[in-house]
Amino acid sequence: MTLFDIPTAALLGQLMLGLINGAFYALLSLGLAIIFGLLKVINFAHGAQYMLGAFVALLLSRHFGIDYWAALILVPVLVGLSGCLLERFLLRPIANQNHLYSLLLTFGLALIMQNLFTNLYGSSGNAYPTPEVFRGAVNLGFMHLPLYRAWVIVAALAVCLAAWFVIEKTRLGAYLRAGTENPQLMQGFGINIPFLITLTYGFGAALAAFAGVLAAPLYSVSPTMGANLLIVVFAVVVIGGMGSIVGAVVTGLAMGLIEGLTKVIYPQAATTVIFAVMVMVLLLKPNGLFGKGA
Amino acid sequence: MTTSTLYPDTLQASRQRRQLQLGLALLAIALVAPFVAYPIFLMKILCFALFACAFNLLLGYVGLLSFGHAAFLGTGGYITGFLLTRYSGLTPELGILGGTAAATLLGLLFGLLAIRRQGIYFAMITLALAQMTFFIYLQAPFTGGENGMHGVPRGKLLGLIDLKNDLAMYYFVLAICLSGYLLIRRTVNSPFGQVLYAIRENEPRAISLGYNVAAYKLLAFVISAGIAGLAGATKTVVFQFASLTDAHWHMSGEVILMTLLGGVGTLLGPVVGSSLVVWLHHVLGGSVLGSWMGTILGTIFVLCVLLFRDGLVGYVQKFVRRNLR
């Protein structure tokens, strides 16, 4: 069976890979959007925090024998705490300056982290073992889907859904949304906005670290794994706009699928197709597909 | 990001005199420098200084942070390298002109897209567009991919002066960079530059005064891209090769650091900042600390942002204004 002269199995296989990449785009752009909403800061360290998540999981398993499941909880907490400290002691002092300075600060931190890990652990990739339960594959009839890949999609979507629930349906989320709209007024109502900001940044960093742990068994753990990914995620954010959580998730998954499709049809363009989509969106709908204004 | 102060006429005159003296002193230093220091090293500083000045025209005078200026440096370098390698009859100045024109054109395309969004989005869009350019250069056959483009001939300037002589090359590069610098200076101090100031300080107000803000931003972006391309083109002729390093996002980050360290929105800041960064690479490159360059540059970045936002030249200017009225 073929479609456009392409074997269906190959097509579906690439689409599945694309969906997995898309799940990572969705998780990372979600974190960026949450941080941006309250802090008005684009977190350039997001890619580094993703890398940090994967590395901490690797080191915990190497030196302390902590397994995948514990790492999935522990690593986001650790990286999230480091994010809280970073916000409190580095970002807060320049919060009243032009927001471009915060962007540059996080960029500098990303450079430091990436270089530090390159020097300590080399620039080549390190393998992280796939957890026991997910070894093997399931036959879907048209393709063999490795179990771990299926888990990544489920877990990423579950976390996105949980984040949506927390932000839209809980009291803490209501504070967050109100703080995004008008922080001064919320402060006047007795909400501790500075603390909420610290928490939000930590939560965003924790999301990136969670994505990193998920990615560890899938891709090799290397110091540069986050940097190139982050630039693609930026393009995804520009395409989707940072208006809504659903928008971030849908755009992330869609871009993953488009990338997968391109790999089948015209592999040379696979690295550039998302940027090309960004160009088209900028021409047709400059505020992004789900954006609410510049 | 610094505010300009209007001076009464007498102060203005004394300020202009001081500037002229400083300029002449710096020119004298630049003219004797190749007899004291290694000309290739000096040319590297000059090329990066021009690159940083071009970048600063946008960040310092329009308030736009481009995170994709490496694309213009790389394009200038690659196109010039391609022209000079392919057409052996071409003189270096024509090759450089071709590279600059290509970068200017790319700047027009980037600019048309990027000025549709502001602030942080502008930075993300320029970064993404530059990354796309990087991938194209990685795959395009003429660039030599990861190996880079080697053996670009220096040729004879105007068909007369052999540029294989480093000293001749140095004065040619000095002339190019000086012209680029003076063009930026002229742009900033022109009525056009005053409108750019207005846009930086209060964009809605500039719009309500009737200025076509988008057109002003676009023109500034194109000039900045063109001069960045000129720097890349010149650099390729000096080093006789072009590589992906110049088009990588690291380079876009480095030019921000150069500008920030020297002083955003000061004319000489980028020159000082780029000299320091190039010197740092030179000193540390061969030592044990070479592999720690990312950490060192990152730390300087963080310190500049936290404690040192005016940059070196910015602080000197403040000091001079306070004490030497």
Side-chain angles (χ1 to χ4, degrees):
Chain A
M1 197 165 73
T2 60
L3 199 71
F4 309 117
D5 292 333
I6 297 153
T8 316
L11 181 69
L12 289 171
Q14 284 299 345
L15 282 182
M16 188 54 80
L17 284 181
L19 199 62
I20 291 165
N21 282 339
F24 286 110
Y25 297 155
L27 267 180
L28 291 175
S29 56
L30 178 65
L32 279 180
I34 291 173
I35 293 176
F36 180 78
L38 196 58
L39 281 81
K40 306 286 174 248
V41 166
I42 269 294
N43 184 25
F44 253 76
H46 216 64
Q49 279 154 345
Y50 163 84
M51 177 273 289
L52 195 64
F55 253 105
V56 173
L58 181 77
L59 296 177
L60 284 177
S61 106
R62 255 192 211 166
H63 299 299
F64 301 99
I66 289 175
D67 72 347
Y68 177 79
W69 297 105
L72 210 49
I73 307 290
L74 193 61
V75 171
V77 171
L78 289 176
V79 176
L81 282 177
S82 78
C84 289
L85 292 177
L86 191 165
E87 195 286 325
R88 177 64 189 80
F89 294 106
L90 294 178
L91 283 175
R92 191 178 298 178
I94 54 165
N96 293 327
Q97 304 288 337
N98 189 320
H99 290 306
L100 295 178
Y101 283 121
S102 320
L103 183 157
L104 296 178
L105 181 93
T106 51
F107 177 74
L109 290 172
L111 279 185
I112 296 173
M113 280 192 251
Q114 191 180 321
N115 186 242
L116 222 55
F117 277 89
T118 308
N119 278 318
L120 292 175
Y121 301 100
S123 53
S124 60
N126 302 272
Y128 184 91
T130 308
E132 202 78 49
V133 208
F134 294 129
R135 294 200 184 138
V138 59
N139 191 349
L140 296 178
F142 52 86
M143 65 174 292
H144 284 275
L145 176 63
L147 275 174
Y148 187 76
R149 292 175 190 269
W151 157 249
V152 166
I153 297 176
V154 171
L157 288 181
V159 166
C160 289
L161 195 71
W164 173 83
F165 183 82
V166 168
I167 292 170
E168 296 293 330
K169 302 289 170 197
T170 65
R171 179 162 289 248
L172 188 66
Y175 290 159
L176 182 73
R177 280 178 289 132
T180 304
E181 291 292 327
N182 192 338
Q184 281 83 16
L185 192 66
M186 286 303 284
Q187 188 112 33
F189 285 156
I191 307 293
N192 190 344
I193 288 289
F195 182 65
L196 192 65
I197 287 178
T198 307
L199 220 56
T200 305
Y201 188 84
F203 181 61
L207 270 181
F210 180 82
V213 184
L214 273 187
L218 208 56
Y219 310 118
S220 64
V221 180
S222 79
T224 50
M225 67 190 282
N228 292 326
L229 181 64
L230 185 67
I231 301 179
V232 179
V233 172
F234 281 165
V236 171
V237 164
V238 173
I239 292 168
M242 285 197 280
S244 73
I245 295 172
V246 182
V249 174
V250 170
T251 315
L253 291 176
M255 288 308 115
L257 285 177
I258 287 178
E259 202 178 37
L261 205 61
T262 316
K263 269 187 196 139
V264 187
I265 298 169
Y266 187 60
Q268 290 87 333
T271 46
T272 46
V273 64
I274 293 185
F275 302 121
V277 174
M278 181 189 83
V279 169
M280 272 187 283
V281 168
L282 280 173
L283 288 174
L284 300 174
K285 208 166 176 303
N287 287 335
L289 299 177
F290 298 87
K292 284 186 279 193
Chain B
M1 293 182 192
T2 52
T3 45
S4 67
T5 326
L6 291 174
Y7 291 87
D9 282 347
T10 46
L11 285 172
Q12 185 89 32
S14 83
R15 186 164 167 244
Q16 270 173 357
R17 201 169 50 241
R18 230 170 27 228
Q19 277 182 351
L20 189 68
Q21 286 163 351
L22 180 67
L24 288 175
L26 285 175
L27 183 64
I29 291 173
L31 286 173
V32 231
F35 297 101
V36 184
Y38 192 42
I40 296 268
F41 172 68
L42 292 172
M43 286 189 269
K44 191 173 179 185
I45 288 185
L46 282 174
C47 290
F48 277 109
L50 184 61
F51 181 37
C53 287
F55 169 81
N56 184 44
L57 175 63
L58 268 189
L59 179 61
Y61 295 96
V62 202
L64 291 173
L65 174 62
S66 161
F67 228 108
H69 255 51
F72 308 126
L73 187 77
T75 300
Y78 272 132
I79 300 299
T80 300
F82 172 75
L83 289 174
L84 291 177
T85 321
R86 183 53 106 40
Y87 307 101
S88 52
L90 217 56
T91 49
E93 71 281 357
L94 288 177
I96 289 176
L97 221 55
T100 310
T104 311
L105 209 62
L106 189 72
L108 182 66
L109 287 177
F110 273 34
L112 281 171
L113 291 165
I115 54 165
R116 295 175 145 248
R117 300 292 284 275
Q118 277 141 19
I120 270 160
Y121 279 103
F122 184 88
M124 288 198 289
I125 292 167
T126 44
L127 176 59
L129 289 173
Q131 184 79 347
M132 179 160 100
T133 316
F134 173 83
F135 279 124
I136 291 171
Y137 286 142
L138 180 66
Q139 291 176 353
F142 80 95
T143 61
E146 299 197 358
N147 297 322
M149 186 188 274
H150 291 271
V152 178
R154 277 190 185 174
K156 289 186 171 164
L157 180 62
L158 300 168
L160 299 169
I161 305 161
D162 194 350
L163 292 179
K164 276 199 228 57
N165 178 350
D166 274 347
L167 215 54
M169 187 78 223
Y170 174 82
Y171 287 114
F172 178 44
V173 172
L174 183 63
I176 289 177
C177 293
L178 208 60
S179 327
Y181 175 81
L182 291 175
L183 176 65
I184 291 171
R185 192 187 146 95
R186 184 74 196 96
T187 307
V188 168
N189 291 329
S190 68
F192 172 74
Q194 294 302 311
V195 179
L196 294 182
Y197 268 130
I199 294 172
R200 184 189 74 186
E201 294 302 323
N202 193 338
E203 188 169 335
R205 186 144 188 203
I207 295 172
S208 75
L209 285 172
Y211 290 108
N212 184 352
V213 167
Y216 277 92
K217 279 182 175 174
L218 182 63
L219 186 55
F221 193 88
V222 171
I223 295 174
S224 172
I227 297 175
L230 176 64
T234 312
K235 186 167 167 285
T236 294
V237 176
V238 171
F239 290 94
Q240 302 186 277
F241 90 110
S243 76
L244 280 172
T245 318
D246 286 351
H248 195 261
W249 58 264
H250 264 264
M251 188 56 81
S252 298
E254 206 152 293
V255 73
I256 299 175
L257 180 64
M258 290 170 177
T259 308
L260 195 62
L261 183 61
V264 177
T266 61
L267 279 166
L268 275 179
V271 179
V272 174
S274 56
S275 307
L276 276 174
V277 172
V278 171
W279 175 78
L280 207 62
H281 272 292
H282 183 72
V283 171
L284 298 178
S287 74
V288 253
L289 284 171
S291 63
W292 292 93
M293 207 58 203
T295 308
I296 294 165
L297 292 182
T299 310
I300 299 176
F301 235 115
V302 171
L303 291 178
C304 276
V305 169
L306 282 178
L307 311 166
F308 208 57
R309 282 183 290 275
D310 287 336
L312 293 167
V313 172
Y315 273 103
V316 171
Q317 275 183 354
K318 267 190 182 170
F319 180 81
V320 169
R321 270 179 205 162
R322 216 178 300 130
N323 298 294
L324 296 178
R325 285 242 162 180

